[in-house]
Amino acid sequence: MQTASFTASSESTPSPADPTAGAPLAGRPAWLNRFHSLGPAFSTAWPARALPGPHWVARNEGLARELGLDLDWLASDEALDVFTGNRPWGGNASIATVYSGHQFGMWAGQLGDGRALLLGETRTAAGPMEFQLKGSGPTPYSRMGDGRAVLRSSIREFLASEALHGLGVATTRALCITGSPAPVRREETETAAVVTRVAPSFIRFGHFEHFSHNGLHDELRQLADFVIAHHYPGCADETQPYTALLAAVTARTAALMADWQAIGFCHGVMNTDNMSILGLTLDYGPFQFLDGFDPTHICNHSDHQGRYAYNRQPNVAMWNLYALGQALMPLIGDSDTALAALETYKADFPGLLRRAMGAKLGLPELDADGEIRLLNPLLQLMARERTDYPIFWRRLSEGLPGTPQFEAVRDLFLDRPALDAWAADYTAHVAGRDTAAISAAMLRTNPKYVLRNHLAQTAIEAAENGDFQPTQDLLSVLSSPYDEHPQHDALAGFPPDWASNITISCSS
Ligand code: AMP
Ligand code: MG
């Protein structure tokens, strides 16, 4: 039998007293399973439902290396079975966790892992990590769902999480996808797939809401203490640890929103059950990276009100944080204290966004005045012209105003006088600065390769015909999106006309 082996990092090296210390991880990782140990109020031990005829769709060797996972084992039939849910990993029992949440602003009651299973948590070279299958069959929380995920949405999640990671944005990761010919009914009949996700924790705002709304305050406290102990240890030293936790989650969420807005990422379903307590991008459904710059863009065709439009994401995140604050009230007690923690979002987010957008201009230090005079007019012009968002920023990085390459930026605009006026302002702003250094920094901030809908769609259509190479090619390019990949230049072009006809709904 081939073996899976992890190399523990020094940070997480087991102590000599640990009976698993130094034990070979031969397809049997030394499970930590800390979430499991919270007890039956939090999860149900539940096996995956096997899928017939499993096959590999994609493996993420870069992530496997980061985790210290043996690459030969990852390519083995045993791993194929493990990551399809057809055999338990090292005999470990998988669990489905319970959570609730607000969906589209309405209390939705109990939800939970309806198609995901936590295989377990183990030490890896990157620290303790949880491994989760998505699409592994029905669970006690499936409600009316089939517990499955289709190949299409699995490829989108796999590529998007690695794309955001490559861009430096906090996200859950994706280790591999397996597929099966088993039919799965959505608008059309598709085939089943399973994504293996990896993160330090998959705990959501909705986990807290669940216990709070059901009056289970002991469990609520247990969960908060768990999250503080394992993920926010600094909060334990504060005089009000639960308020400190709320403030820390608020800070991470604000940072994530600034990153999403700057990169042009629309999540599409920012329900509280899709919000990570660690501030990670979580649950990729109808997401989209902007093509043309439209601040009001709605990527989810099921979002008729535009609640989760691109320009509403920062406010929705704050709304969701208030829902988390509400859930934590039995622990925090005093609403003024909770509100003070939440208000830090309003105080901090504008500066975070300004820094992120300023960095795109090569000016991370941009002040409020610069934002008004330099950034906002540019964004208004881009919105008027629906300028291609990734291509604009990349071309600007390669050709600042005053250089011959700036012509390629001008080519993107109809209203050249307006652009030239902006370029003059920019030139005045950076007068006396080292523009070569500015340009170099911008090339590390404005990616060349972005997972646009049409690129994902092309990879999906190839995969549906049995060709998984385009998925693997996209993975490799998106893992280092700021670098040049000359053989893949075609992946950095404008979207084709048909891209605007791609409709992405919650169906996945
Ligand atoms: P989402 O909006 O995809 O994050 O899912 C919301 C809730 O529905 C979560 O509790 C999911 O586990 C559950 N869910 C989504 N799709 C399915 C499915 N096909 N089968 C069972 N549960 C599902
Ligand atoms: Mg979800």
Side-chain angles (χ1 to χ4, degrees):
M1 190 173 81
Q2 284 165 299
T3 59
S5 56
F6 289 86
T7 321
S9 67
S10 54
E11 178 242 341
S12 60
T13 301
S15 74
D18 185 335
T20 64
L25 299 165
R28 298 183 63 85
W31 298 109
L32 286 170
N33 287 348
R34 294 178 295 190
F35 193 96
H36 292 52
S37 67
L38 280 170
F42 296 84
S43 62
T44 306
W46 201 258
R49 182 174 291 175
L51 279 168
H55 60 82
W56 288 112
V57 175
R59 290 189 297 272
N60 182 353
E61 295 198 344
L63 174 60
R65 268 189 220 100
E66 286 175 45
L67 297 171
L69 182 57
D70 186 290
L71 293 183
D72 290 335
W73 181 79
L74 182 60
S76 71
D77 289 346
E78 181 186 328
L80 175 62
D81 277 346
V82 164
F83 296 125
T84 308
N86 289 4
R87 85 158 83 180
W89 194 0
N92 207 44
S94 49
I95 60 170
T97 77
V98 63
Y99 53 81
S100 297
H102 284 85
Q103 298 187 319
F104 291 89
M106 307 285 283
W107 177 244
Q110 182 179 305
L111 303 165
D113 294 326
R115 54 173 169 168
L117 286 174
L118 184 55
L119 287 185
E121 179 198 28
T122 188
R123 294 187 177 87
T124 75
M129 289 287 169
E130 293 184 346
F131 288 73
Q132 195 190 65
L133 300 184
K134 181 170 177 180
S136 47
T139 77
Y141 311 110
S142 297
R143 299 174 292 154
M144 305 301 284
D146 59 8
R148 292 300 181 196
V150 295
L151 181 61
R152 165 179 55 85
S153 65
S154 302
I155 288 177
R156 283 172 53 85
E157 168 137 16
F158 176 83
L159 290 175
S161 46
E162 291 312 295
L164 279 188
H165 177 75
L167 293 165
V169 181
T171 176
T172 61
R173 306 290 303 277
L175 179 63
C176 57
I177 314 176
T178 69
S180 160
V184 176
R185 263 176 255 295
R186 296 291 181 260
E187 280 88 357
E188 295 168 3
T189 298
E190 303 183 47
T191 58
V194 180
V195 187
T196 300
R197 306 196 286 195
V198 181
S201 171
F202 289 93
I203 296 176
R204 302 144 189 271
F205 291 9
H207 282 95
F208 287 87
E209 291 180 282
H210 178 75
F211 296 105
S212 193
H213 281 260
N214 288 300
L216 300 169
H217 295 171
D218 289 344
E219 287 79 1
L220 178 67
R221 184 178 303 273
Q222 208 188 334
L223 183 65
D225 289 345
F226 177 91
V227 169
I228 289 172
H230 300 311
H231 303 293
Y232 292 94
C235 294
D237 302 328
E238 300 286 334
T239 47
Q240 295 174 315
Y242 306 117
T243 311
L245 174 64
L246 182 59
V249 177
T250 300
R252 284 207 200 174
T253 306
L256 181 68
M257 289 309 114
D259 284 348
W260 281 6
Q261 298 307 106
I263 214 69
F265 176 77
C266 308
H267 181 283
V269 204
M270 289 178 66
N271 296 332
T272 57
D273 55 301
N274 291 336
M275 296 292 291
S276 153
I277 203 73
L278 300 185
L280 307 173
T281 311
L282 172 65
D283 277 11
Y284 293 83
F287 71 83
Q288 188 179 1
F289 290 84
L290 292 180
D291 290 321
F293 183 59
D294 173 7
T296 63
H297 184 69
I298 304 163
C299 63
N300 177 357
H301 283 250
S302 315
D303 181 6
H304 305 296
Q305 310 290 320
R307 179 178 175 85
Y308 299 137
Y310 166 75
N311 61 355
R312 290 193 172 154
Q313 295 188 128
N315 279 349
V316 168
M318 195 170 79
W319 193 96
N320 291 343
L321 285 161
Y322 273 72
L324 177 65
Q326 183 71 42
L328 288 171
M329 277 311 293
L331 306 183
I332 294 177
D334 172 41
S335 58
D336 286 347
T337 316
L339 282 173
L342 291 164
E343 292 293 310
T344 57
Y345 188 95
K346 280 189 206 154
D348 295 345
F349 177 73
L352 291 168
L353 182 62
R354 188 191 310 135
R355 189 170 323 133
M357 294 304 297
K360 295 181 82 64
L361 286 170
L363 306 168
E365 70 289 351
L366 199 72
D367 61 14
D369 185 51
E371 180 177 356
I372 293 166
R373 289 192 299 107
L374 206 57
L375 178 61
N376 291 351
L378 173 65
L379 293 177
Q380 282 155 11
L381 174 61
M382 290 173 70
R384 276 206 305 279
E385 301 222 354
R386 298 284 188 264
T387 314
D388 189 277
Y389 193 73
I391 288 180
F392 166 77
W393 290 111
R394 189 71 182 184
R395 287 195 185 178
L396 185 67
S397 310
E398 290 164 347
L400 290 177
T403 65
Q405 295 95 317
F406 186 67
E407 278 308 308
V409 178
R410 294 184 83 241
D411 286 347
L412 297 173
F413 290 84
L414 292 173
D415 189 349
R416 303 263 165 88
L419 180 72
D420 289 342
W422 177 82
D425 286 345
Y426 184 88
T427 304
H429 193 95
V430 299
R433 301 269 306 270
D434 178 354
T435 49
I438 289 177
S439 180
M442 288 169 72
L443 287 167
R444 307 307 300 169
T445 306
N446 298 311
K448 174 152 183 176
Y449 298 97
V450 174
L451 181 63
R452 299 170 186 261
N453 262 350
H454 75 275
L455 296 177
Q457 190 60 30
T458 303
I460 288 163
E461 283 168 20
E464 287 174 342
N465 290 314
D467 178 6
F468 306 120
Q469 194 57 44
T471 299
Q472 211 67 47
D473 287 347
L474 269 176
L475 173 66
S476 88
V477 163
L478 295 169
S479 298
S480 55
Y482 301 107
D483 296 340
E484 296 287 334
H485 300 271
Q487 72 280 29
H488 293 302
D489 260 1
L491 301 177
F494 289 100
D497 288 344
W498 58 264
S500 56
N501 298 329
I502 301 172
T503 56
I504 307 287
S505 69
C506 279
S507 149
S508 61

